[in-house]
Amino acid sequence: MSGRLPVADDSDDPRVVVHVDMDCFYASCERRRDPALVGDPVVIGMGYEAGDTIGAVATASYEARAYGVESAMPISQALDLLPRRATADDPTDTGVYLPVDMEFYQSVATEVKSVLHDLAETVREVSIDEAYLDASDCTSWARVEGEDRRLAEGFARHVKTRIARKAGVRASVGVAPNMSAAKIASDYDKPDGIVVVPPGEISDFLAPLPVEAVHGVGPVTASTLSEMGIETAGDVATADPSTLRERFGERGRELYDRAQGVDDREVTPRGRPKSFSRESAFAETTDDHDRVQERASRLAADVAKRARSKGALYRTIGVKIVEPPFEVSTRARSLPGPVDDLDLVRETALDLLSEFVDARVRKVGVRLSKLSFAAGEQASLDGWDNRDGRGGERPNTSEDRPSRTRRGQASLEEFDG
DNA sequence: TCTGGGGTCCTAGGACCC
DNA sequence: TCTGGGGTCCTAGGACCC
């Protein structure tokens, strides 16, 4: 019966947007693989190897968070708060530390995503553990007869159940008439939550929340807002929009809208990536430019291979260096046309880094951007990209990229969005 | 304990063109 | 001789997100 209820029951057919956010995803994956970890504090470290003290926390289970361990925290600090479990006999106030196993998490994520695509026509995958669904076609805001519940809530429950059954991990789900509110809703009752914010109730839901709850508000914006006497989303919603605009530009307008619960963005599948990058930190800050160059060469090769494996051409090559305490510099150079050329990436990166010969470096990175993608086979690209067996002195002139390349690019652009 | 690695979007100034 | 206004592209930096 419920399926036949008219959708226009309440209001003018607002969308049903569902935000799915996996709970401490990496830790959950590890627990699925090794159920003995269930209930224990689990910390997943990136750049971490078993027994090590370097690296940073990628994910901490809720049990580990109870000890103060948080994402992005250095492993050394996490170990101070929550010592590593030495033997299985001594589980008291100790945690299990594991290195990131991206391949495995990716495989679990694929199972999760397949459930989502099964459940809704339109899915936007945001990251490995997060996605939006436009579920307007599969459910509605109609009330369940005789109850203070909406059909959409049942749908959300269904999403969670299916994910748990198929992929063996838990998610928190937020449902609202738009993306921004759905995202905030999923965050509201983590872990294992379901939060439904029907149309007409968004403002009341948002008003008491701290400004940081709004997607796009980080520490800097929050503290500027705080100086303006704005602490909650409700404060933003009742603030003078022109003042916000003055302070924050276009973002001010957006912030104002979001705080009101206004967000017209459609749920669309993600397009092509805009850039690829690789970066790597030195265990200790170094002023040895040779080492920096070596590292950069490796990163350049890695990232160029990744671009190639994704069928991407790039027109801009950039580097990034981080000097203590945390000073970030970037340099970039654009080419006359899109290329796929490992040697050129390495040469350009090293050239751009030469400006920093005397720098003390704690981190270096290489980035490829202004990407274009081949529609189909890689073979057609190799024909013109590597045709001159490049390797010599700066072959990167416009003569070097004849009209053939440009035509190629023009036809590629269509596939960009 | 001074922060790992991968991304996105926005802004601002300069060059250049009409 | 000094002057508009609009547009695009490029680089660099900053804030933010997971």
Side-chain angles (χ1 to χ4, degrees):
Chain A
M1 50 125 216
S2 52
R4 300 193 56 224
L5 287 176
V7 176
D9 177 45
D10 265 300
S11 42
D12 44 1
D13 195 20
R15 296 173 293 155
V16 182
V17 177
V18 179
H19 183 252
V20 178
D21 200 340
M22 311 307 297
D23 301 324
C24 48
F25 184 58
Y26 298 174
S28 303
C29 290
E30 295 293 351
R31 282 174 168 168
R32 187 187 100 166
R33 179 153 62 179
D34 179 7
L37 295 175
V38 174
D40 285 338
V42 175
V43 178
I44 312 297
M46 58 193 346
Y48 166 84
E49 278 166 43
D52 227 335
T53 58
I54 60 164
V57 176
T59 303
S61 73
Y62 282 85
E63 294 82 355
R65 291 180 202 191
Y67 289 86
V69 178
E70 293 171 7
S71 276
M73 180 181 274
I75 289 289
S76 53
Q77 186 187 355
L79 284 166
D80 289 343
L81 297 165
L82 174 69
R84 184 170 13 231
R85 180 166 307 175
T87 68
D89 306 339
D90 183 28
T92 319
D93 290 327
T94 60
V96 176
Y97 285 73
L98 299 167
V100 165
D101 179 356
M102 220 48 200
E103 246 169 81
F104 176 57
Y105 309 153
Q106 195 61 61
S107 73
V108 179
T110 302
E111 296 172 35
V112 173
K113 300 292 163 66
S114 84
V115 169
L116 300 183
H117 285 280
D118 211 31
L119 287 169
E121 198 72 25
T122 312
V123 178
R124 182 186 187 87
E125 301 180 13
V126 179
S127 69
I128 190 167
D129 64 349
E130 213 189 307
Y132 292 92
L133 279 56
D134 188 329
S136 309
D137 293 338
C138 353
T139 182
S140 83
W141 290 112
R143 287 175 200 280
V144 176
E145 229 176 57
E147 290 182 53
D148 188 23
R149 245 174 357 104
R150 312 282 180 139
L151 291 182
E153 187 180 329
F155 180 79
R157 203 165 297 283
H158 184 54
V159 170
K160 278 169 65 80
T161 310
R162 284 279 301 272
I163 293 172
R165 269 215 293 264
K166 280 269 221 179
V169 287
R170 280 194 318 203
S172 292
V173 176
V175 188
N178 63 53
M179 292 174 73
S180 173
K183 163 99 180 150
I184 295 170
S186 74
D187 211 37
Y188 189 79
D189 190 26
K190 273 185 149 296
D192 205 20
I194 291 185
V195 175
V196 178
V197 185
E201 295 177 24
I202 308 183
S203 311
D204 288 347
F205 170 67
L206 296 178
L209 303 180
V211 289
E212 291 95 330
V214 180
H215 196 65
V217 177
V220 177
T221 308
S223 98
T224 307
L225 286 170
S226 176
E227 281 165 22
M228 299 164 68
I230 296 173
E231 309 284 349
T232 65
D235 294 343
V236 175
T238 55
D240 175 14
S242 59
T243 310
L244 291 171
R245 255 218 87 125
E246 257 169 54
R247 274 300 229 298
F248 301 103
E250 197 45 47
R251 282 185 53 236
R253 175 76 220 181
E254 198 179 289
L255 177 59
Y256 181 72
D257 285 345
R258 300 286 186 272
Q260 314 258 340
V262 173
D263 179 6
D264 295 330
R265 288 174 302 163
E266 288 203 20
V267 179
T268 54
R270 271 237 288 198
R272 304 285 202 171
K274 303 268 193 298
S275 67
F276 295 113
S277 66
R278 284 276 315 199
E279 56 186 75
S280 161
F282 293 95
E284 275 168 9
T285 300
T286 180
D287 55 5
D288 181 348
H289 193 62
D290 290 345
R291 281 191 68 202
V292 175
Q293 287 192 321
E294 253 170 61
R295 186 74 66 99
S297 296
R298 277 218 318 269
L299 299 171
D302 282 1
V303 75
K305 282 180 198 154
R306 179 142 49 99
R308 180 170 294 175
S309 77
K310 305 277 184 190
L313 304 179
Y314 33 90
R315 210 161 75 70
T316 299
I317 299 166
V319 297
K320 160 178 168 177
I321 73 154
V322 180
E323 296 170 86
F326 212 73
E327 221 170 284
V328 179
S329 304
T330 61
R331 295 292 181 272
R333 182 179 300 156
S334 289
L335 311 170
V339 300
D340 165 15
D341 187 331
L342 259 78
D343 290 335
L344 186 57
V345 174
R346 195 175 41 78
E347 283 165 28
T348 307
L350 294 186
D351 196 35
L352 291 169
L353 282 173
S354 65
E355 186 186 330
F356 301 94
V357 260
D358 298 321
R360 298 178 56 229
V361 178
R362 77 187 301 161
K363 197 172 183 182
V364 60
V366 179
R367 199 170 96 98
L368 305 176
S369 54
K370 293 212 175 33
L371 305 182
S372 45
F373 288 86
E377 62 271 66
Q378 185 74 14
S380 65
L381 302 179
D382 290 340
W384 42 275
D385 273 312
N386 299 327
R387 95 201 109 74
D388 61 357
R390 162 179 337 286
E393 312 286 324
R394 306 277 339 146
N396 169 33
T397 64
S398 43
E399 292 79 44
D400 202 39
R401 308 275 155 210
S403 56
R404 227 184 141 188
T405 303
R406 302 235 173 67
R407 276 208 314 274
Q409 188 196 6
S411 64
L412 294 172
E413 298 288 12
E414 299 169 31
F415 300 90
D416 252 9

